[in-house]
Amino acid sequence: MGILNITPDSFSDGGRYLDPEAAVAHALEMEAAGADIIDLGGESTRPLGAREVSPLEEIARVRPVLRQLAGKLRLPISIDTRRAEVARVALEAGAAIVNDISALADPAMAPLAAASGCAVVLMHMRGGPQDHIKFARYNSVVAEVVKFLEARARFAIEQGIARSRIIVDPGIGFAKTTTHNLEVLRNLPRICALGYPVLVGASRKTFVRKLAGNDPEAVRLGNAAIEAIAVASGASIIRVHEPAAARAAVAMAAAVVRATISKG
Ligand code: HH2
């Protein structure tokens, strides 16, 4: 899953794709580089300094890009939003997946997803995008993440979303310290055991910079290591800024672990 942030203040690519033409070009670049899904987001979830945007502002950011991608991009589009209003616009414009970091907190989101038949990503987080780090306290992070994802998936099914349309995500970096992130990654098979496809998003997050080193090459190698481990542990989707590098890491990990050979 290639990341396309249409935001002025995102983690690592804030401001680069605010211009719709630049955003479209980048989506097509990621498609050529081997992405399978493009994840379009109009709200930054950076813990410090990200500004809360209104749904209208979020729509104004993503709608022109969705319009211009129609007919150009062959890949499915995922909309990274917590707001049903934004998801509705994106689904009408052809998006196939709602990537909801709040796991259906907006009461209008589940009915919308159920009616549209889209796939949904349910991510674990505590608090909101601005203050989640305050909630990084657990007795057992893995058990609590598993319990949360299981409950949200059950809720989604009760709301009419097909089981086969549910993807779960442990929410790396959301209400989690470096130790929590590592604990979750080390125990990914327990999350996969829930029986839903698992998405992992670790690309360029703070703990990668902290552990692998801050220069771009170190971050790239750190990302690739996590992506390989995630896939080897059973993840089905990895959310990345650089699909070409991720493709190579995934091809290698899948070949070793699953004895399947896919050309990168
Ligand atoms: N991480 C970010 C945003 N959306 N969605 C899912 N499902 N999983 C994630 O781990 C995830 C996500 C944050 O990363 P990024 O897009 O790089 O930064 P920002 O939120 O500042 O735009």
Side-chain angles (χ1 to χ4, degrees), residues 3 5 7 9-11 43-46 80 99 101 121 123 169 171-172 174 199 201 203 205 239 241:
I3 302 169
N5 285 321
T7 57
D9 49 4
S10 275
F11 228 50
E43 180 196 34
S44 174
T45 53
R46 198 170 62 158
D80 185 348
N99 173 19
I101 62 164
V121 178
M123 195 193 82
D169 178 344
I172 299 295
F174 288 92
L199 186 156
S203 190
K205 288 193 176 164
R239 185 178 178 276
H241 292 89

Side-chain angles (χ1 to χ4, degrees), residues 89-159:
V89 168
L91 292 167
E92 280 166 11
I97 305 171
V98 172
N99 173 19
D100 184 354
I101 62 164
S102 76
L104 310 175
D106 180 338
M109 190 68 105
L112 172 70
S116 84
C118 66
V120 292
V121 178
L122 307 176
M123 195 193 82
H124 174 269
M125 167 167 64
R126 284 178 176 177
Q130 273 74 36
D131 65 353
H132 56 81
I133 207 64
K134 287 199 304 215
F135 300 94
R137 284 161 202 235
Y138 303 87
N139 287 323
S140 162
V141 65
V142 179
E144 288 170 57
V145 167
V146 165
K147 200 169 152 205
F148 173 90
L149 293 176
E150 195 170 27
R152 295 316 286 165
R154 201 178 319 118
F155 170 76
I157 293 167
E158 281 161 13
Q159 294 285 308

Side-chain angles (χ1 to χ4, degrees), residues 24-237:
V24 169
H26 188 54
L28 296 173
E29 234 168 66
M30 290 196 287
E31 177 176 64
D36 293 318
I37 302 167
I38 301 297
D39 188 41
L40 192 68
E43 180 196 34
S44 174
T45 53
R46 198 170 62 158
L48 295 172
R51 196 171 56 80
E52 182 93 10
V53 290
S54 71
L56 281 182
E57 199 171 339
E58 219 182 307
I59 290 170
R61 287 176 183 175
V62 298
R63 187 163 23 207
V65 180
L66 284 160
R67 284 209 178 120
Q68 289 193 36
L69 282 175
K72 288 197 184 123
L73 187 78
R74 288 187 306 271
L75 300 179
I77 293 177
S78 142
I79 179 77
D80 185 348
T81 188
R82 301 178 288 145
R83 274 90 172 236
E85 282 162 272
V86 181
R88 179 171 294 111
V89 168
L91 292 167
E92 280 166 11
I97 305 171
V98 172
N99 173 19
D100 184 354
I101 62 164
S102 76
L104 310 175
D106 180 338
M109 190 68 105
L112 172 70
S116 84
C118 66
V120 292
V121 178
L122 307 176
M123 195 193 82
H124 174 269
M125 167 167 64
R126 284 178 176 177
Q130 273 74 36
D131 65 353
H132 56 81
I133 207 64
K134 287 199 304 215
F135 300 94
R137 284 161 202 235
Y138 303 87
N139 287 323
S140 162
V141 65
V142 179
E144 288 170 57
V145 167
V146 165
K147 200 169 152 205
F148 173 90
L149 293 176
E150 195 170 27
R152 295 316 286 165
R154 201 178 319 118
F155 170 76
I157 293 167
E158 281 161 13
Q159 294 285 308
I161 297 172
R163 197 190 158 84
S164 61
R165 299 266 164 197
I166 297 172
I167 298 157
V168 296
D169 178 344
I172 299 295
F174 288 92
K176 292 172 195 75
T177 62
T178 294
T179 309
H180 294 140
N181 290 328
L182 298 176
E183 187 83 9
V184 165
L185 288 169
R186 200 175 299 125
N187 288 282
L188 221 47
R190 280 174 60 192
I191 295 162
C192 297
L194 283 169
Y196 301 97
V198 171
L199 186 156
V200 172
S203 190
R204 298 185 184 166
K205 288 193 176 164
T206 308
F207 82 113
V208 179
R209 297 167 187 277
K210 202 162 126 188
L211 296 175
N214 212 2
D215 70 274
E217 193 53 19
V219 173
R220 197 169 291 132
L221 293 168
N223 288 337
I226 295 183
E227 286 148 14
I229 290 168
V231 168
S233 305
S236 299
I237 304 174

